[in-house]
Structures are given as structure tokens and as C-alpha cells.
Amino acid sequence: MKKYRAGKIKREHSVIEQLWPVLEHIAECDLVTSIIPGPISPLGTHGFEVTFQRFTETGLRLLAKNGAAVQEVYLVAPDKQSTLEWLAAEGIVAWKPPRKATPQRRPVPEPLRTVVLPSDMACSVCGRAMRAGTRAAQLGRKRYTYAHVRCAQK
């Protein structure tokens, strides 16, 4: 089977009908080197949409869905992040940059009471071993966890 390429769009497979104008618009972008539509699979949704799926080694993977089918579309792009931002700015895909999550330390629950441990176990705060028969702070409300008394006071 002879592979045919017109401009940046590879035409090895047939393409969902509403996808042609979108592919031609993407081909106008200087950030995209090549566009490779994949095979079409049946689907039972309504409406037409193009969604960003993931980054690949060479670019991006998009999914184009219409009322009866879904098709993978691979974009070859050296600068993946800028390409994705361009696609979002043009309204081709719905994507927002992720918010930078600040790592938050989980607060230690207030100790309920001090108990004598019936068996060896690990401290739920620092992870070090606690021997049976030693005093420990009982933490939590329904599921009790145990910690060194000095760890629970921090």
C-alpha cells in the first residue's frame, strides 16, 4: 500500500469527516512537523470534539470524536508544550495548564490518650519501631494509630 502525504498530513487512513478542517488548520502551525491520523474505531457519542490525550516521544496524541467514531491523531512536534498551548489558544483542544500543587504536610491528629502497647508496631509519625509494653500516644478517632509520645507532641 503506497503511503501518500499532502503537505504535513499523512493520508494512509481515511479520516473522520469533520476532522479535515481541523487537521488543515493544525498543518498551518509552524510548531507541527507532521500530522498522522490513525485508524477509525466505532463509538456511540454525540457531537464532535478533539481532546488532548498525552505526550508521546515525538509529539502529542489527540483523540477526535464524532457521533459515530473515534480516531487517534498523532502530531509530530519538537516543542510539545508550546504546541499544546497553541492548540488550546486556537480552541482546537480544551486544555488548561495544571496548577502547581504545593506539597502539604498531613497534620498529625491530636493524641486522644496515652496507652501501653500490647505488641510491637511502627510509629505512625516517624516510622521507627515501638516495643510492646512501652507507652504510646493513641491518635485518630475511628481508626486508631499509635505514635511515640514525643512524636505526637510535635
Side-chain angles (χ1 to χ4, degrees):
M1 179 161 143
K2 186 176 179 184
K3 296 179 178 87
Y4 177 73
R5 183 178 297 272
K8 294 181 181 180
I9 304 172
K10 187 173 183 181
R11 298 183 188 218
E12 183 177 352
H13 299 286
S14 57
V15 175
I16 295 174
E17 200 169 306
Q18 295 100 331
L19 186 58
W20 277 117
V22 175
L23 293 181
E24 290 169 357
H25 184 66
I26 294 172
E28 295 171 2
C29 177
D30 295 333
L31 297 169
V32 177
T33 308
S34 179
I35 302 170
I36 306 165
I40 298 173
S41 301
L43 181 71
T45 63
H46 299 288
F48 176 76
E49 67 176 346
V50 179
T51 57
F52 166 73
Q53 289 297 302
R54 62 182 168 88
F55 291 113
T56 62
E57 288 183 24
T58 58
L60 295 89
R61 177 181 178 222
L62 307 176
L63 279 184
K65 299 176 187 176
N66 71 358
V70 62
Q71 183 169 20
E72 296 175 356
V73 178
Y74 294 94
L75 303 181
V76 178
D79 190 358
K80 303 172 192 177
Q81 188 66 35
S82 296
T83 305
L84 180 57
E85 290 170 2
W86 180 84
L87 290 170
E90 291 291 316
I92 296 172
V93 296
W95 176 82
K96 293 179 184 175
R99 288 186 284 161
K100 292 183 180 178
T102 56
Q104 295 180 357
R105 206 169 159 194
R106 203 169 54 167
V108 177
E110 290 293 320
L112 296 176
R113 60 186 176 162
T114 304
V115 296
V116 176
L117 292 177
S119 63
D120 293 348
M121 58 183 62
C123 174
S124 64
V125 177
C126 69
R128 293 193 320 246
M130 298 186 299
R131 297 272 182 205
T134 59
R135 295 175 56 85
Q138 186 179 35
L139 306 173
R141 292 281 175 208
K142 290 188 177 184
R143 288 186 164 180
Y144 296 123
T145 58
Y146 300 95
H148 293 108
V149 175
R150 66 180 179 277
C151 290
Q153 293 173 353
K154 290 181 182 179

